[in-house]
Amino acid sequence: MDKVVIGADVRSFVDVAPDSPFPIQNLPYGVFRPQQGGEPRVGTALGDFIVDLSVLEAANLFDDPLVKTQRPFAQNTLNAFMSLGRESWSNVRRALVELLSAENPKLRDDAALRQKAFVARHDAELLLPASIGDYTDFYSSREHATNVGTMFRGAENALMPNWLHLPVGYHGRASSVVLSGTEIVRPCGQTQKGDDPPAFGPSRLLDFELEMGFFTGAGNPLGRSIAVDDAEDHIFGLVLVNDWSARDIQRWEYVPLGPFLAKSFATTISPWVVPIDALEPFRVAGPEQDPRPLPYLRGKQPSTFDIRLEVDLKPANGQSPTTICRSNFRHLYWSMAQQLAHHTSNGCNIRPGDLLASGTISGPTPDSYGSLLELSWRGERPLDLDGVRRTFLEDGDTVTMRGFCDGDGYRIGFSEASGTILPSVCG
């Protein structure tokens, strides 16, 4: 199906600053509640405003037949809209561009409707965008996998034998996916040091992981797979993801079945879901894949998106944050389409609102590593944050992730994924 790409010259009747993350070219989806009260509803961000899509829906401004009959925007999550599929997503995006463009008087000149539909972003509470039924985390950065493998197995055996043949992943915990701004309690668990017996207590090696994730749409029936060339039609949009990790708990528990309590205590996502069509102008070729993937992962030439990513760390002492990582989504070896095709290749069914994350996104240079495990190289090379040293996260530290694409006179932004570490509550 054709992408709904909005040209760089299109302008909204709403004034939007050139450096705003939410120009008309973006139009991300989210769920909000006005601060004066009321039920959650679906909106899109435009400049400093949220456009209440339930108001436009009630005014019958969307012609898509499924939107007309199912009324997805008066819901308290995006799941109903996600379930309608790509044709409806495209129809709504086209309608929004037309309604919000500077040349169209229908909404621009209707003061009463505008007053009902537009909510200042600072006057709204953002909520989780979806009811997340399932969460899967991949391990798709070759640089990250190589760095971690080198630390623990040596450079010659850095990548496991299967890594270049399939997108490695694990099933995470959907119930502990939280919105940006949620405080993160330091987890407790079993750890083991040297030849000592295992002990239970707070994690001492708490880490972040710079990731991105995507929400799925209608998905596939149980027993049927999604072809790699069709996969993007099932991807509703993208968010930032911080898959917090307790490295000491992980090291002791991960053999033989992989991550468990070291990951399930919290995963932070950004509030606005950027539709994949908004990223189309930033599509680039993916990394060369050698050996060539098996046919079900091959399809078209793998492609990805040029999304710049940054991580700030603000120490607990109150000093200003320091940018400790600058990476890019384009570094991922396995694409989103390949991740989804592999996930469903055994007939596993995907449902509206499922979240699939990329795994840590590390680049080729030390300042592009997407975790403290790599940035401090297992704690052997502490980071100097203007006189404050860090190997792993301390109580009171705040981690903030940002993502954006810079176009011709506009920016596609992903808002932030931020969290502050609270002390453990181990009994």
Side-chain angles (χ1 to χ4, degrees):
M1 187 169 296
D2 291 340
K3 309 283 187 182
V4 182
V5 181
I6 306 170
D9 58 336
V10 177
R11 292 291 179 267
S12 166
F13 62 78
V14 176
D15 288 333
V16 178
D19 60 348
S20 169
F22 304 128
I24 195 171
Q25 286 79 10
N26 191 347
L27 298 181
Y29 298 103
V31 175
F32 74 101
R33 179 190 289 117
Q35 287 185 351
Q36 65 266 31
E39 293 297 316
R41 70 286 302 268
V42 175
T44 187
L46 180 65
D48 294 328
F49 294 93
I50 297 173
V51 183
D52 187 337
L53 299 187
S54 70
V55 172
L56 304 188
E57 181 180 76
N60 293 313
L61 295 180
F62 296 116
D63 291 331
D64 180 79
L66 292 180
V67 171
K68 281 180 170 293
T69 58
Q70 299 192 29
R71 300 288 179 174
F73 297 132
Q75 307 297 317
N76 59 9
T77 71
L78 281 165
N79 294 63
F81 184 41
M82 291 172 173
S83 72
L84 300 187
R86 179 147 185 82
E87 183 174 357
S88 292
W89 306 341
S90 298
N91 289 340
V92 167
R93 185 167 169 84
R94 288 190 188 93
L96 286 174
V97 175
E98 182 178 349
L99 286 168
L100 297 171
S101 66
E103 292 78 18
N104 190 337
K106 180 175 287 187
L107 186 56
R108 183 195 67 195
D109 296 347
D110 189 333
L113 184 57
R114 275 203 332 272
Q115 186 173 9
K116 291 176 61 178
F118 280 77
V119 178
R121 281 199 287 122
H122 60 73
D123 288 336
E125 175 192 6
L126 296 177
L127 307 173
L128 270 178
S131 175
I132 303 169
D134 280 297
Y135 164 52
T136 298
D137 194 30
F138 285 93
Y139 190 50
S140 293
S141 163
R142 183 170 185 170
E143 290 81 3
H144 174 66
T146 300
N147 288 338
V148 174
T150 298
M151 289 178 202
F152 297 103
R153 293 186 298 274
E156 292 184 0
N157 299 305
L159 293 179
M160 299 297 283
N162 64 348
W163 201 93
L164 292 171
H165 295 275
L166 56 84
V168 173
Y170 74 94
H171 290 283
R173 182 72 183 173
S175 65
S176 53
V177 177
V178 297
L179 193 67
S180 177
T182 303
E183 295 174 320
I184 307 300
V185 176
R186 180 177 296 273
C188 302
Q190 277 197 31
T191 60
Q192 194 266 348
K193 188 174 183 179
D195 294 327
D196 295 341
F200 182 84
S203 169
R204 294 179 175 84
L205 306 181
L206 187 57
D207 201 355
F208 68 84
E209 291 193 354
L210 170 63
E211 307 190 17
M212 296 200 73
F214 62 88
F215 282 104
T216 56
N220 57 306
L222 183 66
R224 302 287 295 273
S225 61
I226 295 174
V228 66
D229 285 340
D230 298 330
E232 286 193 2
D233 285 341
H234 294 265
I235 296 175
F236 178 76
L238 284 72
V239 292
L240 297 167
V241 175
N242 182 352
D243 193 37
W244 305 91
S245 299
R247 301 298 184 187
D248 43 358
I249 298 174
Q250 181 179 0
R251 182 171 58 198
W252 174 236
E253 74 176 4
Y254 84 101
V255 177
L257 294 181
F260 183 35
L261 300 183
K263 298 280 192 174
S264 61
F265 61 95
T267 300
T268 299
I269 66 171
S270 52
W272 292 104
V273 186
V274 175
I276 196 169
D277 284 8
L279 302 176
E280 191 62 29
F282 309 97
R283 187 181 292 274
V284 294
E288 181 180 354
Q289 295 185 324
D290 184 19
R292 195 178 185 195
L294 292 174
Y296 80 98
L297 291 172
R298 197 177 298 164
K300 302 170 185 173
Q301 172 65 30
S303 63
T304 185
F305 300 97
D306 182 10
I307 305 171
R308 296 166 59 187
L309 302 168
E310 297 178 348
V311 180
D312 284 359
L313 176 54
K314 184 180 186 299
N317 67 358
Q319 73 182 54
S320 299
T322 299
T323 301
I324 59 173
C325 168
R326 290 183 172 88
S327 190
N328 197 298
F329 186 74
R330 70 188 300 171
H331 294 315
L332 289 175
Y333 186 87
W334 294 106
S335 70
M336 293 187 296
Q338 290 173 317
Q339 291 166 14
L340 187 53
H342 181 66
H343 201 310
T344 63
S345 62
N346 67 343
C348 174
N349 54 320
I350 298 294
R351 296 173 295 185
D354 284 355
L355 176 65
L356 280 66
S358 62
T360 304
I361 305 172
S362 293
T365 58
D367 63 346
S368 65
Y369 294 166
S371 67
L372 281 172
L373 178 67
E374 298 165 272
L375 290 165
S376 72
W377 204 256
R378 203 167 47 176
E380 297 170 5
R381 307 168 190 168
L383 277 66
D384 184 353
L385 309 177
D386 195 21
V388 175
R389 288 160 63 90
R390 283 291 184 274
T391 52
F392 291 93
L393 296 172
E394 302 289 342
D395 293 344
D397 287 352
T398 299
V399 176
T400 300
M401 298 176 176
R402 294 181 300 274
F404 52 91
C405 309
D406 282 330
D408 183 11
Y410 68 93
R411 166 171 284 192
I412 301 295
F414 288 81
S415 188
E416 294 182 347
S418 181
T420 299
I421 306 302
L422 296 185
S424 166
V425 292
C426 292

